[in-house]
Amino acid sequence: MPSARLSVVVTRRLPEPVETRMRELFDVALREDDAPMSREELARAMREADVIVPTLSDRIDAGLIAQASDRLKLIANYGAGVDHIDVNTARQHGILVSNTPGVLTDDTADMTMALILSVTRRLPEGLARMQSGEWLGWSPTALLGGRVAGRRLGILGMGRIGQAVARRAAAFGMQVHYHNRRRLRPEIEQELEATYWESLDQMVARMDVLSINCPHTPSTFHLMNARRLKLMKPDAVIVNTSRGEVIDENALTRMLRAGEIAGAGLDVYEHGAAINPRLRELKNVVLLPHMGSATVEGRIEMGEKVIINIKTFDDGHRPPDQVVPAML
């Protein structure tokens, strides 16, 4: 008789090739629509499945994990960030957690540069004029932005994505600076032509553009708080393609409205889709709906990593992308 297949619950719609491959390998329950699961649906899935595949919109906290049955053995996250999962509590209950690191590096770095250019060159204002029919032709003084070449870019978080941003910024002629929990090896610093700052405060005060590329952890929550935002130069801009919780959104909004920071490009927000409504009113702010990883190639590669993690676990081995508390 054929061996029983793993029971897998997927909490959101995934690209068709990923869903089809999962059906071939596992006893998988897929979503009929793309709405997030309710807390009750998540709890039921964690009672009935061997593996659950959540996304960043699913908060897997200690309360939910406490409702899981002994059957649940793996939370195979569809995404690199795991701040929405209580990894410590899962581990205490004998539940493994895996993620999908590395596959979104280039996509997110591309979007970071797109936001830098959008803010400094005032692209949304130009688009708005074209769409409204207000553009009457070229003018020597219309919609003047700033050149990015020669500007100092400060990268907060010099992991895979931060380094990819540094390479792109160097190609645009920007001067690369960075602050990181650990200093890079000398050969990597030399390759990136990047200047290290042990003091985040000192770096922030000197940069023309600040890019947030660090993960959200308890130690990075509001790392860019009101005090640190006030250190930025009035003509500086800030972009964030990492996690919204790293920036105090209310403080940032106040300073943008007051002209204390020149502009911002945001792809992520402190409270998810509940964006501070005052941000929407500002012409010096570019807001995107969390598009940093939104490429067909990236989303399929994420799914492939999820499948590899589940299949490896099913074969009796440790998932290659297992997350342990020491990594957080």
Side-chain angles (χ1 to χ4, degrees):
M1 293 181 63
S3 60
R5 301 205 299 178
L6 275 184
S7 171
V8 178
V9 172
V10 180
T11 68
R12 298 293 294 269
R13 291 296 305 272
L14 301 182
E16 181 275 325
V18 177
E19 292 185 340
T20 299
R21 185 57 178 152
M22 283 187 169
R23 277 200 181 277
E24 293 169 352
L25 295 172
F26 315 117
D27 180 12
V28 62
L30 300 172
R31 292 290 281 171
E32 294 298 326
D33 58 53
D34 197 36
M37 278 188 171
S38 66
R39 189 172 178 85
E40 291 72 24
E41 288 175 312
L42 283 170
R44 183 166 61 251
M46 296 178 72
R47 289 192 297 268
E48 298 175 355
D50 302 310
V51 179
I52 185 171
V53 180
T55 70
L56 60 85
S57 61
D58 304 305
R59 185 151 194 82
I60 312 296
D61 57 22
L64 270 180
I65 293 171
Q67 299 180 55
S69 69
D70 293 339
R71 180 177 179 177
L72 183 68
K73 293 301 180 184
L74 174 63
I75 300 173
N77 188 53
Y78 182 82
V82 293
D83 49 297
H84 58 294
I85 301 171
D86 190 331
V87 177
N88 281 298
T89 300
R91 186 179 180 86
Q92 291 166 10
H93 283 73
I95 302 170
L96 303 181
V97 177
S98 63
N99 66 343
T100 61
V103 298
L104 304 177
T105 298
D106 288 332
D107 298 330
T108 306
D110 288 346
M111 190 60 76
T112 300
M113 289 305 303
L115 281 172
I116 291 172
L117 290 168
S118 293
V119 177
T120 57
R121 296 299 303 271
R122 302 172 63 178
L123 298 188
E125 293 177 70
L127 287 169
R129 267 192 205 187
M130 297 301 292
Q131 292 167 351
S132 67
E134 296 178 5
W135 187 61
L136 301 177
W138 180 83
S139 167
T141 58
L143 293 173
L144 296 180
R147 182 182 296 164
V148 296
R151 292 197 184 196
R152 294 173 181 162
L153 170 66
I155 299 175
L156 174 50
M158 203 61 146
R160 292 187 185 96
I161 295 173
Q163 291 178 39
V165 171
R167 292 186 178 93
R168 285 157 174 77
F172 277 84
M174 302 186 79
Q175 301 172 25
V176 176
H177 299 250
Y178 78 99
H179 172 84
N180 201 47
R181 183 171 55 178
R182 296 184 182 87
R183 186 168 183 172
L184 298 177
R185 298 197 306 272
E187 61 270 24
I188 298 178
E189 258 188 20
Q190 185 174 4
E191 176 205 343
L192 298 175
E193 298 183 20
T195 300
Y196 172 69
W197 293 83
E198 183 176 359
S199 167
L200 177 57
D201 286 359
Q202 291 183 11
M203 183 184 82
V204 164
R206 291 164 172 81
M207 297 299 109
D208 303 305
V209 180
L210 182 66
S211 177
I212 309 300
N213 298 107
C214 62
H216 172 224
T217 67
S219 63
T220 63
F221 176 76
H222 280 192
L223 190 59
M224 291 303 300
N225 54 24
R227 181 194 67 79
R228 198 162 271 136
L229 287 168
K230 286 184 179 295
L231 297 176
M232 294 181 65
K233 300 192 298 183
D235 59 351
V237 303
I238 184 170
V239 299
N240 188 5
T241 54
S242 177
R243 285 291 185 266
E245 295 90 341
V246 178
I247 301 178
D248 183 336
E249 192 169 291
N250 285 330
L252 175 64
T253 303
R254 289 195 303 270
M255 295 184 65
L256 287 164
R257 287 169 63 89
E260 296 172 321
I261 296 176
L266 306 175
D267 189 43
V268 289
Y269 307 93
E270 184 174 351
H271 304 291
I275 302 169
N276 188 324
R278 292 176 297 173
L279 275 176
R280 303 179 191 273
E281 305 167 1
L282 300 173
K283 291 184 178 181
N284 57 341
V285 176
V286 179
L287 305 178
L288 294 179
H290 204 153
M291 294 171 60
S293 63
T295 67
V296 173
E297 298 87 349
R299 294 289 164 84
I300 291 176
E301 288 175 12
M302 287 169 65
E304 290 171 348
K305 269 192 173 277
V306 168
I307 291 169
I308 290 170
N309 282 317
I310 298 174
K311 190 68 174 67
T312 304
F313 168 78
D314 193 24
D315 291 341
H317 304 290
R318 169 178 170 168
D321 299 307
Q322 182 179 343
V323 178
V324 297
M327 298 168 59
L328 306 177

